[in-house]
Structures are given as C-alpha cells and as structure tokens.
Amino acid sequence: MEASTGLQEAVSDSECDVSLRPFTQQDCHVSCPGECVLSTWSPWSSCPQGCPAHSRQTRSRQVVRKPVGNLATCPPLRQEEPCVEGASCWHYSWQVGNWTSCVPLGHSSCGEGVRNRPITCVRSGGVAVPEWMCPRESRPSPKETWCYVDCPIDCEVTTWTTWDDSKCSCGENPGEMTRRRFLSVNPSESGRPCPSQLQQSRPCPAIPCYTWERGPWSQCQLQGGSCGHGYVERKVSCVGPWGQTVDPHLCLALVHVGGHTWPYLARALDLNTRDGCYVPCEGDCELTEWASWSHCHRDCSRGHQGGTQARSR
C-alpha cells in the first residue's frame, strides 16, 4: 500500500485479495549426475476471456541437459489443466455507480460545477481489478460531466454605442443610423431577463448634397519668354443643390478626411486651383498634358495607410 508520503507500507493480509496472493513455496528438484536437467516451468498461459467451456491453460519447460544412457528419459515437458472460473479465469465487466450531486467550482455556492460517478472494472465475484482487464471499447463514459447550480444572476448589458452614421447619405433618401448594446452578463433562470431591444435605429439627418465644380484650366502662363515652364489656373468651387457657390467645408464634411492636410486633400480630391505646365522650346522633348489622378489604391473606409494614386503623360 502507498502511504501519503509516496512510500509503501505493509498492511494486514486481510486488505489484499487472497486469490491473488503469490505462492511462498514450490517443489523443486536437484538433478543427480547423468539425469535429465530441465528448466523451470514457464508461467501458466492465460485462460480465454470469459472462461468458455472446456478451455484449458498450459505451461512448458525446456531440456537443459539430456540424460546419459539409452534407457534414461526426461519427464514431461508440457502440462495442461482446465480453466476454472473464479480461480484461474474470470469474467470482467464495467460497474457504473450513481452520479454524485453537482459540486460548484471554486468553493462557490452556485454556478458551473462538476459531478462524478464511479466506473470500476470488476471481475466475477464483484472484486475490483485494474481497468486494463476490462474491454476498453465498452467502457462507459463520461466519468465526469459538467453541471450547473442555478444562481439568481440578473442580465447585464453594456451602454449604448454612439450612433453609427456610416451609411447616411445626402439628398432625399439619407438612410438610417443605428446604435447597439451588447450582453455582458447572461441571466440565470431565476435572474432578471435581458431587454428585448439590443439595437435602435433612427433616420439620418437631412443633409443637402454638395459637390465640387471644377472649371477648365487656363492657358500656360510663362515666366517670361515664349517657351519653358509656367503655370495654369482654374476655378474650383463647392456648389450646393441649387447650383449656388457655398463654403468649401460643406463639401469636405461629406468626406472622411481623417485629419489630412489641405495639400494632401487638394491632390487626392483633385481640388488644386494651380498646377505646373511646360511649353516646349524648339528642339525640346514634347509631352502631352498630365492625365487625371487615378483612384486611391487602398481601403479608405477602414483607415488603411500607405495607399497610392498615379497619373501619366
């Protein structure tokens, strides 16, 4: 028996199964000169599982030294005996006990817990034996299962999020904005139930549509001379729904500018009112005008950084 210290200690014989007690004495034979010398008997073979009728077990031994003389012989090298249920073979089966009551985790008085039931391998006669003696494929399961002791827990929800106006638009059909709240604590059966409404919606505010109106570029204005570098100009205005010119911030309010500087926005939104130009001199390389800037290659709605746009000539 193993003590609480991890060491083994001797106990009374009554604590052990008498049928499994090893023999303390056995017959032996010391061969005389010239006699047949044999090895010790091998262990008895195992009896078939379940002790079928007429089953037998055997053991054998080997000749270590042959006898001297023609008339001398060796004793039998093999023995057989019938399997006897309850002595040399047994039936093994699983014995399942009743579930224990639910024990909450963490020494609490309620909530999630576990319950157990004893699963024991027993042989005929009801003696408990190691589990490997029973067929593993028929072992009942589980030995432990989750359970729950109800606590009076009320439902708790988070505060409302801010109104999401990402789907709002300008014009006659502005759409709807929404806000949500989420469950933070699920209620128990005896607790206060959760509110039925976890999402609210309301119409978006009516906002007139404002658009950028871009005039044509002027002719290239040279810095003296008849060729070389210069500049072109145009008029860019924020126009209201009835064609009136309004404050540019009304157009920018419809764009998620993300804190960018005006030089960046003017280029990204094609709002520059002045740009460089070039009038080739005789013998110079001649180029076309720059094409419009391409779309920004990034997901601006998610705030991704590092997008690029290009133009060519």
Side-chain angles (χ1 to χ4, degrees), residues 174-238:
E176 286 187 337
M177 59 175 64
T178 59
R179 67 175 183 175
R180 301 185 64 187
R181 57 182 174 180
F182 303 91
L183 292 179
S184 57
V185 176
N186 285 315
S188 63
E189 292 183 2
S190 58
R192 183 180 65 238
C194 293
S196 59
Q197 190 178 35
L198 297 177
Q199 178 172 312
Q200 290 181 339
S201 60
R202 70 181 184 187
C204 295
I207 302 175
C209 289
Y210 300 98
T211 58
W212 293 106
E213 187 177 84
R214 301 167 180 84
W217 289 105
S218 67
Q219 290 185 347
C220 187
Q221 305 295 319
L222 300 175
Q223 307 268 345
S226 60
C227 62
H229 291 280
Y231 64 90
V232 291
E233 292 181 320
R234 67 175 177 177
K235 186 178 180 181
V236 177
S237 304
C238 180

Side-chain angles (χ1 to χ4, degrees), residues 71-308:
L71 298 179
T73 59
C74 288
L77 302 180
R78 178 184 173 89
Q79 284 185 342
E80 287 189 4
E81 67 178 23
C83 293
V84 180
E85 183 173 355
S88 56
C89 65
W90 294 267
H91 289 284
Y92 298 96
S93 61
W94 294 104
Q95 187 178 74
V96 180
N98 296 324
W99 288 107
T100 63
S101 58
C102 188
V103 180
L105 300 175
H107 306 288
S108 60
S109 59
C110 59
E112 290 186 343
V114 292
R115 58 179 181 173
N116 300 274
R117 63 177 180 178
I119 298 176
T120 311
C121 179
V122 296
R123 72 181 190 195
S124 46
V127 179
V129 294
E131 290 193 355
W132 61 265
M133 293 185 173
C134 285
R136 186 177 184 84
E137 62 275 5
S138 63
R139 188 183 190 279
S141 62
K143 188 176 182 180
E144 181 179 276
T145 186
W146 287 97
C147 58
Y148 189 82
V149 177
D150 190 35
C151 300
I153 300 175
D154 295 335
C155 176
E156 293 185 19
V157 295
T158 62
T159 57
W160 288 103
T161 61
T162 56
W163 287 101
D164 180 10
D165 60 356
S166 61
K167 296 183 179 180
C168 291
S169 60
C170 63
E172 296 181 357
N173 298 305
E176 286 187 337
M177 59 175 64
T178 59
R179 67 175 183 175
R180 301 185 64 187
R181 57 182 174 180
F182 303 91
L183 292 179
S184 57
V185 176
N186 285 315
S188 63
E189 292 183 2
S190 58
R192 183 180 65 238
C194 293
S196 59
Q197 190 178 35
L198 297 177
Q199 178 172 312
Q200 290 181 339
S201 60
R202 70 181 184 187
C204 295
I207 302 175
C209 289
Y210 300 98
T211 58
W212 293 106
E213 187 177 84
R214 301 167 180 84
W217 289 105
S218 67
Q219 290 185 347
C220 187
Q221 305 295 319
L222 300 175
Q223 307 268 345
S226 60
C227 62
H229 291 280
Y231 64 90
V232 291
E233 292 181 320
R234 67 175 177 177
K235 186 178 180 181
V236 177
S237 304
C238 180
V239 178
W242 299 281
Q244 77 279 21
T245 302
V246 296
D247 191 312
H249 288 89
L250 295 176
C251 285
L252 289 175
L254 300 178
V255 180
H256 296 283
V257 296
H260 292 296
T261 61
W262 174 252
Y264 174 85
L265 291 173
R267 185 173 67 84
L269 301 177
D270 191 21
L271 303 179
N272 284 323
T273 58
R274 186 167 178 167
D275 201 358
C277 62
Y278 181 79
V279 176
C281 299
E282 186 177 352
D284 288 350
C285 174
E286 294 189 24
L287 301 173
T288 63
E289 294 296 329
W290 283 107
S292 299
W293 286 103
S294 69
H295 294 292
C296 184
H297 297 286
R298 65 169 176 168
D299 192 345
C300 299
S301 64
R302 297 187 179 181
H304 291 173
Q305 302 298 319
T308 58

